[in-house]
Amino acid sequence: MSDSFTITLPAWVAGELPAGPLPTDADRMALVHRLAARNPAEGSGGPFAALVVESATGRLVSAGVNTVLAAGLSVGHAEVVALALAQTRLGSWDLGADGLPAHELVVNWRPCVQCYGAVLWSGVRRLVVAGDGPELEELTGFDEGPMREDWAPQFEARGIAVTVGVLRQEAVGVFAEYGRAAAAGEYTVYNARGNA
Amino acid sequence: MSDSFTITLPAWVAGELPAGPLPTDADRMALVHRLAARNPAEGSGGPFAALVVESATGRLVSAGVNTVLAAGLSVGHAEVVALALAQTRLGSWDLGADGLPAHELVVNWRPCVQCYGAVLWSGVRRLVVAGDGPELEELTGFDEGPMREDWAPQFEARGIAVTVGVLRQEAVGVFAEYGRAAAAGEYTVYNARGNA
């Protein structure tokens, strides 16, 4: 009887990552969209990806993709994978700990309620999302859970800056293609209970 | 550079677990409180524990404790550990999948916003908590995050029954003792950013 669980980044992700830094928000989000678009076709999970980046330098600390199917764990959303890998690599459960540079999470849509909390407790100082509207749920069929209207001010009140609207149309394009392919039976769809 | 992360249940937990089933809500919650009370003294993390139990039979599928310090990961709350261990053991990211008996999560207080989402997406059909008032935050100093007032009806709307008020005073006692010992410097306190 196992007394531990492990989430491993799918091997194909490494081949998509740049050798150098990602200076701009658009550079970072373009990579997120590339990983998110490829993830369902690889069978790892839904069309979601996230990066932990050093805000000032653009150094990529970690990438995550949705691994619900690959890991067999419902907690394995892209944000959780990226944040936990960054904490593992930096040796700290707090990415905002004294002595560390400021880190941010870049993800392709406003997080679901689980990952909203995961971001809050991670120590990142900034969240960058492509968008926050109903398009994700409408196009993919995933349920994001009961979020509060003041989700962004609640981040700001805890010292986490929020930027919304980086490569938004490209994000919608990834969700639309996922919805089309899922409806056509091209993917294993894991949202029996609707979770993203 | 690690491409995976692992959370392992602290070894002392196994010694606290019963050999047989836990027939009643009180049986289940008494075990949760025992694990929660011991966890900070063992250095694993905060005073929180959770169980995944087969609702009808009382069979214990998994136990979890807060492992933020032990694992070095902010996502390692008791609920996440118990749910992920149960999914690992049962071989399904969905504890409510066809062919599985109904499962429930038993935890010593209303989950924080991260674990609220983790419970929603796990497939459990019932959540049992000792209480849901301000005592946790007041006595321990942890921040539970911005929860919605209608958190319980939102569970019910997704087919997850909610029971509040099992061994409530005993839960408050565990939090009070944690607050006292933390203030006295007896524990490593990890809530730099206030997360539970």
Side-chain angles (χ1 to χ4, degrees):
Chain A
M1 198 162 66
S2 178
D3 270 330
S4 68
F5 66 92
T6 296
I7 294 182
T8 301
L9 196 66
W12 61 265
V13 173
E16 296 279 1
L17 304 183
L22 296 160
T24 71
D25 285 354
D27 294 331
R28 300 167 195 182
M29 193 65 77
L31 174 57
V32 166
H33 289 340
R34 197 159 71 241
L35 297 174
R38 183 168 170 185
N39 197 50
E42 296 284 352
S44 308
F48 308 105
L51 308 176
V52 173
V53 177
E54 270 185 22
S55 292
T57 65
R59 185 176 85 85
L60 179 63
V61 177
S62 63
V65 293
N66 184 295
T67 56
V68 171
L69 291 174
L73 297 172
S74 60
V75 77
H77 291 197
E79 297 92 328
V80 166
V81 175
L83 292 167
L85 286 177
Q87 292 174 344
T88 298
R89 291 172 180 175
L90 296 174
S92 174
W93 54 266
D94 180 4
L95 297 174
D98 289 345
L100 292 181
H103 291 99
E104 63 188 50
L105 186 78
V106 185
V107 58
N108 55 327
W109 212 251
R110 186 194 71 178
C112 82
V113 63
Q114 168 192 284
C115 295
Y116 178 52
V119 174
L120 280 169
W121 310 146
S122 69
V124 296
R125 305 299 179 91
R126 182 177 182 232
L127 172 70
V128 182
V129 299
D132 67 341
E135 290 90 340
L136 187 163
E137 292 185 327
E138 291 172 358
L139 291 168
T140 69
F142 286 108
D143 178 3
E144 294 298 289
M147 290 288 287
R148 285 167 55 126
E149 289 298 314
D150 65 345
W151 68 274
Q154 291 281 351
F155 269 132
E156 304 269 359
R158 288 168 174 81
I160 302 170
V162 177
T163 298
V164 178
V166 178
L167 302 186
R168 188 183 199 287
Q169 276 311 310
E170 292 82 349
V172 172
V174 171
F175 298 148
E177 168 57 15
Y178 175 83
R180 184 204 62 73
E186 297 172 22
Y187 295 150
T188 300
V189 176
Y190 75 90
N191 55 334
R193 239 151 280 274
N195 61 298
Chain B
M1 198 162 66
S2 177
D3 270 330
S4 69
F5 67 93
T6 297
I7 295 182
T8 302
L9 196 67
W12 61 266
V13 173
E16 296 280 0
L17 304 182
L22 296 160
T24 71
D25 284 354
D27 294 331
R28 300 167 194 181
M29 193 64 77
L31 174 57
V32 166
H33 289 341
R34 198 159 70 241
L35 297 175
R38 183 169 169 184
N39 196 51
E42 297 284 352
S44 309
F48 308 105
L51 309 176
V52 172
V53 178
E54 270 185 21
S55 293
T57 65
R59 185 177 85 85
L60 179 63
V61 178
S62 63
V65 293
N66 184 295
T67 56
V68 171
L69 291 174
L73 296 171
S74 60
V75 77
H77 291 197
E79 296 93 328
V80 166
V81 175
L83 292 167
L85 286 177
Q87 291 173 343
T88 299
R89 290 172 182 175
L90 297 175
S92 173
W93 54 266
D94 180 2
L95 297 174
D98 288 346
L100 292 182
H103 291 99
E104 63 188 49
L105 187 78
V106 185
V107 58
N108 54 328
W109 212 251
R110 186 194 71 178
C112 82
V113 62
Q114 168 192 282
C115 296
Y116 178 52
V119 174
L120 279 169
W121 310 146
S122 69
V124 296
R125 305 298 180 93
R126 183 177 182 231
L127 172 70
V128 182
V129 299
D132 66 341
E135 291 90 340
L136 187 164
E137 292 186 329
E138 291 172 359
L139 291 168
T140 69
F142 286 106
D143 178 3
E144 294 298 290
M147 290 287 288
R148 285 168 54 128
E149 289 299 313
D150 65 345
W151 67 274
Q154 291 281 351
F155 270 131
E156 304 270 359
R158 288 167 175 81
I160 301 170
V162 177
T163 297
V164 178
V166 178
L167 303 186
R168 188 181 199 286
Q169 277 310 308
E170 292 82 349
V172 172
V174 171
F175 298 148
E177 168 58 16
Y178 175 83
R180 185 204 63 73
E186 296 172 23
Y187 296 149
T188 300
V189 177
Y190 75 89
N191 53 336
R193 238 149 282 274
N195 61 299

Short mmCIF file of all heavy atoms in Angstrom, two decimals, chain B residues 80-114:
data_model
loop_
_atom_site.label_atom_id
_atom_site.label_comp_id
_atom_site.label_asym_id
_atom_site.label_seq_id
_atom_site.Cartn_x
_atom_site.Cartn_y
_atom_site.Cartn_z
N VAL B 80 -5.21 17.32 0.56
CA VAL B 80 -4.55 16.93 -0.70
C VAL B 80 -3.81 15.61 -0.52
O VAL B 80 -3.87 14.73 -1.38
CB VAL B 80 -3.58 18.05 -1.15
CG1 VAL B 80 -2.62 17.56 -2.24
CG2 VAL B 80 -4.36 19.26 -1.62
N VAL B 81 -3.14 15.44 0.62
CA VAL B 81 -2.39 14.21 0.87
C VAL B 81 -3.34 13.01 0.95
O VAL B 81 -3.11 11.97 0.30
CB VAL B 81 -1.55 14.34 2.15
CG1 VAL B 81 -0.85 13.02 2.47
CG2 VAL B 81 -0.53 15.47 2.00
N ALA B 82 -4.41 13.14 1.71
CA ALA B 82 -5.35 12.01 1.85
C ALA B 82 -6.00 11.68 0.51
O ALA B 82 -6.10 10.50 0.13
CB ALA B 82 -6.41 12.34 2.89
N LEU B 83 -6.43 12.70 -0.22
CA LEU B 83 -7.12 12.45 -1.50
C LEU B 83 -6.17 11.83 -2.53
O LEU B 83 -6.53 10.87 -3.22
CB LEU B 83 -7.70 13.76 -2.04
CG LEU B 83 -8.87 14.33 -1.22
CD1 LEU B 83 -9.16 15.78 -1.65
CD2 LEU B 83 -10.13 13.47 -1.36
N ALA B 84 -4.95 12.35 -2.61
CA ALA B 84 -4.00 11.83 -3.61
C ALA B 84 -3.55 10.41 -3.26
O ALA B 84 -3.37 9.57 -4.15
CB ALA B 84 -2.80 12.76 -3.76
N LEU B 85 -3.36 10.13 -1.98
CA LEU B 85 -3.00 8.75 -1.59
C LEU B 85 -4.15 7.80 -1.92
O LEU B 85 -3.93 6.68 -2.39
CB LEU B 85 -2.66 8.68 -0.10
CG LEU B 85 -1.31 9.27 0.30
CD1 LEU B 85 -1.14 9.18 1.81
CD2 LEU B 85 -0.15 8.55 -0.40
N ALA B 86 -5.38 8.21 -1.67
CA ALA B 86 -6.54 7.36 -1.99
C ALA B 86 -6.61 7.11 -3.49
O ALA B 86 -6.84 5.97 -3.94
CB ALA B 86 -7.82 8.00 -1.48
N GLN B 87 -6.40 8.16 -4.29
CA GLN B 87 -6.46 7.98 -5.74
C GLN B 87 -5.32 7.09 -6.23
O GLN B 87 -5.51 6.28 -7.16
CB GLN B 87 -6.41 9.36 -6.42
CG GLN B 87 -7.70 10.16 -6.16
CD GLN B 87 -7.65 11.59 -6.66
OE1 GLN B 87 -6.58 12.13 -6.94
NE2 GLN B 87 -8.81 12.22 -6.77
N THR B 88 -4.16 7.22 -5.61
CA THR B 88 -3.03 6.36 -5.97
C THR B 88 -3.34 4.89 -5.65
O THR B 88 -3.11 3.99 -6.47
CB THR B 88 -1.77 6.81 -5.22
OG1 THR B 88 -1.46 8.15 -5.60
CG2 THR B 88 -0.57 5.92 -5.54
N ARG B 89 -3.88 4.66 -4.46
CA ARG B 89 -4.16 3.27 -4.04
C ARG B 89 -5.27 2.63 -4.85
O ARG B 89 -5.25 1.42 -5.10
CB ARG B 89 -4.51 3.26 -2.55
CG ARG B 89 -3.28 3.56 -1.68
CD ARG B 89 -3.65 3.75 -0.22
NE ARG B 89 -2.43 4.08 0.55
CZ ARG B 89 -2.43 4.40 1.84
NH1 ARG B 89 -3.57 4.44 2.52
NH2 ARG B 89 -1.30 4.68 2.45
N LEU B 90 -6.28 3.45 -5.22
CA LEU B 90 -7.41 2.90 -5.96
C LEU B 90 -7.19 2.95 -7.48
O LEU B 90 -8.01 2.42 -8.24
CB LEU B 90 -8.69 3.66 -5.59
CG LEU B 90 -9.10 3.51 -4.12
CD1 LEU B 90 -10.31 4.38 -3.80
CD2 LEU B 90 -9.41 2.05 -3.78
N GLY B 91 -6.12 3.61 -7.89
CA GLY B 91 -5.80 3.65 -9.32
C GLY B 91 -6.76 4.49 -10.14
O GLY B 91 -6.99 4.20 -11.32
N SER B 92 -7.31 5.54 -9.52
CA SER B 92 -8.27 6.39 -10.24
C SER B 92 -8.17 7.82 -9.76
O SER B 92 -8.18 8.06 -8.55
CB SER B 92 -9.71 5.89 -10.02
OG SER B 92 -10.64 6.79 -10.59
N TRP B 93 -8.13 8.77 -10.68
CA TRP B 93 -8.15 10.18 -10.30
C TRP B 93 -9.54 10.61 -9.86
O TRP B 93 -9.73 11.73 -9.41
CB TRP B 93 -7.67 11.06 -11.46
CG TRP B 93 -8.41 10.83 -12.73
CD1 TRP B 93 -8.06 9.98 -13.74
CD2 TRP B 93 -9.67 11.40 -13.11
NE1 TRP B 93 -9.01 10.00 -14.73
CE2 TRP B 93 -10.01 10.86 -14.37
CE3 TRP B 93 -10.54 12.31 -12.52
CZ2 TRP B 93 -11.19 11.20 -15.04
CZ3 TRP B 93 -11.71 12.65 -13.18
CH2 TRP B 93 -12.03 12.10 -14.43
N ASP B 94 -10.52 9.71 -9.99
CA ASP B 94 -11.91 10.02 -9.65
C ASP B 94 -12.41 9.00 -8.63
O ASP B 94 -12.71 7.87 -8.98
CB ASP B 94 -12.76 9.98 -10.92
CG ASP B 94 -14.23 10.30 -10.66
OD1 ASP B 94 -14.59 10.60 -9.49
OD2 ASP B 94 -15.01 10.24 -11.62
N LEU B 95 -12.48 9.44 -7.35
CA LEU B 95 -12.93 8.53 -6.28
C LEU B 95 -14.42 8.21 -6.39
O LEU B 95 -14.92 7.37 -5.65
CB LEU B 95 -12.61 9.14 -4.92
CG LEU B 95 -11.11 9.34 -4.64
CD1 LEU B 95 -10.91 10.10 -3.33
CD2 LEU B 95 -10.39 8.00 -4.60
N GLY B 96 -15.11 8.87 -7.30
CA GLY B 96 -16.52 8.59 -7.53
C GLY B 96 -16.75 7.88 -8.86
O GLY B 96 -17.87 7.87 -9.37
N ALA B 97 -15.71 7.27 -9.38
CA ALA B 97 -15.82 6.60 -10.69
C ALA B 97 -16.78 5.41 -10.61
O ALA B 97 -16.98 4.81 -9.55
CB ALA B 97 -14.44 6.13 -11.15
N ASP B 98 -17.37 5.08 -11.74
CA ASP B 98 -18.22 3.90 -11.83
C ASP B 98 -17.45 2.68 -11.34
O ASP B 98 -16.28 2.48 -11.68
CB ASP B 98 -18.64 3.66 -13.28
CG ASP B 98 -19.65 4.70 -13.76
OD1 ASP B 98 -20.21 5.42 -12.92
OD2 ASP B 98 -19.84 4.79 -14.98
N GLY B 99 -18.10 1.85 -10.52
CA GLY B 99 -17.46 0.64 -10.04
C GLY B 99 -16.80 0.80 -8.69
O GLY B 99 -16.43 -0.20 -8.06
N LEU B 100 -16.64 2.03 -8.22
CA LEU B 100 -16.08 2.26 -6.87
C LEU B 100 -17.22 2.53 -5.89
O LEU B 100 -18.22 3.15 -6.24
CB LEU B 100 -15.14 3.47 -6.88
CG LEU B 100 -13.82 3.35 -7.65
CD1 LEU B 100 -13.01 4.63 -7.50
CD2 LEU B 100 -13.01 2.16 -7.13
N PRO B 101 -17.04 2.09 -4.63
CA PRO B 101 -18.02 2.47 -3.60
C PRO B 101 -17.90 3.97 -3.32
O PRO B 101 -16.89 4.59 -3.63
CB PRO B 101 -17.58 1.64 -2.38
CG PRO B 101 -16.14 1.38 -2.59
CD PRO B 101 -15.93 1.30 -4.09
N ALA B 102 -18.94 4.54 -2.70
CA ALA B 102 -18.92 5.97 -2.39
C ALA B 102 -17.87 6.26 -1.31
O ALA B 102 -17.80 5.55 -0.31
CB ALA B 102 -20.29 6.42 -1.92
N HIS B 103 -17.09 7.31 -1.53
CA HIS B 103 -16.05 7.71 -0.58
C HIS B 103 -16.36 9.08 0.00
O HIS B 103 -17.01 9.90 -0.64
CB HIS B 103 -14.69 7.75 -1.28
CG HIS B 103 -14.18 6.41 -1.66
ND1 HIS B 103 -14.30 5.90 -2.93
CD2 HIS B 103 -13.56 5.45 -0.92
CE1 HIS B 103 -13.77 4.68 -2.96
NE2 HIS B 103 -13.32 4.38 -1.76
N GLU B 104 -15.83 9.31 1.22
CA GLU B 104 -15.99 10.61 1.84
C GLU B 104 -14.65 11.08 2.39
O GLU B 104 -13.75 10.28 2.66
CB GLU B 104 -17.02 10.55 2.97
CG GLU B 104 -16.65 9.66 4.12
CD GLU B 104 -17.81 9.50 5.09
OE1 GLU B 104 -18.95 9.21 4.65
OE2 GLU B 104 -17.59 9.66 6.30
N LEU B 105 -14.54 12.41 2.56
CA LEU B 105 -13.37 13.01 3.19
C LEU B 105 -13.79 13.53 4.57
O LEU B 105 -14.78 14.25 4.69
CB LEU B 105 -12.83 14.17 2.35
CG LEU B 105 -11.51 14.73 2.88
CD1 LEU B 105 -10.34 13.82 2.50
CD2 LEU B 105 -11.26 16.15 2.37
N VAL B 106 -13.02 13.14 5.58
CA VAL B 106 -13.27 13.59 6.96
C VAL B 106 -12.07 14.44 7.36
O VAL B 106 -10.92 13.99 7.28
CB VAL B 106 -13.41 12.39 7.91
CG1 VAL B 106 -13.79 12.85 9.31
CG2 VAL B 106 -14.45 11.40 7.38
N VAL B 107 -12.33 15.68 7.78
CA VAL B 107 -11.22 16.61 8.05
C VAL B 107 -11.60 17.49 9.24
O VAL B 107 -12.78 17.65 9.55
CB VAL B 107 -10.89 17.43 6.78
CG1 VAL B 107 -12.08 18.19 6.27
CG2 VAL B 107 -9.69 18.33 6.97
N ASN B 108 -10.60 18.06 9.91
CA ASN B 108 -10.91 18.69 11.20
C ASN B 108 -11.40 20.13 11.13
O ASN B 108 -11.71 20.69 12.18
CB ASN B 108 -9.76 18.56 12.21
CG ASN B 108 -8.42 19.06 11.73
OD1 ASN B 108 -8.10 18.99 10.55
ND2 ASN B 108 -7.62 19.55 12.66
N TRP B 109 -11.56 20.68 9.94
CA TRP B 109 -12.25 21.99 9.85
C TRP B 109 -12.62 22.21 8.41
O TRP B 109 -12.15 21.47 7.52
CB TRP B 109 -11.36 23.12 10.38
CG TRP B 109 -12.12 24.26 11.03
CD1 TRP B 109 -12.30 25.52 10.53
CD2 TRP B 109 -12.79 24.24 12.29
NE1 TRP B 109 -13.05 26.28 11.40
CE2 TRP B 109 -13.36 25.52 12.48
CE3 TRP B 109 -12.98 23.26 13.27
CZ2 TRP B 109 -14.12 25.84 13.64
CZ3 TRP B 109 -13.71 23.57 14.41
CH2 TRP B 109 -14.27 24.84 14.58
N ARG B 110 -13.44 23.20 8.15
CA ARG B 110 -13.78 23.56 6.77
C ARG B 110 -12.48 23.80 6.00
O ARG B 110 -11.62 24.54 6.48
CB ARG B 110 -14.62 24.84 6.76
CG ARG B 110 -15.13 25.22 5.39
CD ARG B 110 -15.64 26.64 5.38
NE ARG B 110 -14.55 27.59 5.48
CZ ARG B 110 -14.68 28.91 5.46
NH1 ARG B 110 -15.88 29.44 5.38
NH2 ARG B 110 -13.63 29.70 5.55
N PRO B 111 -12.30 23.18 4.84
CA PRO B 111 -11.04 23.32 4.11
C PRO B 111 -10.75 24.77 3.72
O PRO B 111 -11.66 25.57 3.55
CB PRO B 111 -11.27 22.47 2.84
CG PRO B 111 -12.32 21.49 3.22
CD PRO B 111 -13.22 22.22 4.18
N CYS B 112 -9.46 25.08 3.57
CA CYS B 112 -9.04 26.36 2.98
C CYS B 112 -9.46 26.39 1.52
O CYS B 112 -9.90 25.37 0.96
CB CYS B 112 -7.53 26.55 3.11
SG CYS B 112 -6.55 25.72 1.83
N VAL B 113 -9.29 27.53 0.87
CA VAL B 113 -9.81 27.65 -0.49
C VAL B 113 -9.13 26.68 -1.45
O VAL B 113 -9.80 26.12 -2.35
CB VAL B 113 -9.73 29.13 -0.97
CG1 VAL B 113 -8.30 29.62 -1.02
CG2 VAL B 113 -10.44 29.31 -2.29
N GLN B 114 -7.84 26.42 -1.30
CA GLN B 114 -7.17 25.44 -2.16
C GLN B 114 -7.82 24.06 -2.02
O GLN B 114 -8.13 23.39 -3.00
CB GLN B 114 -5.69 25.33 -1.81
CG GLN B 114 -4.99 24.13 -2.46
CD GLN B 114 -3.62 23.88 -1.87
OE1 GLN B 114 -2.67 24.57 -2.21
NE2 GLN B 114 -3.50 22.89 -1.00
#
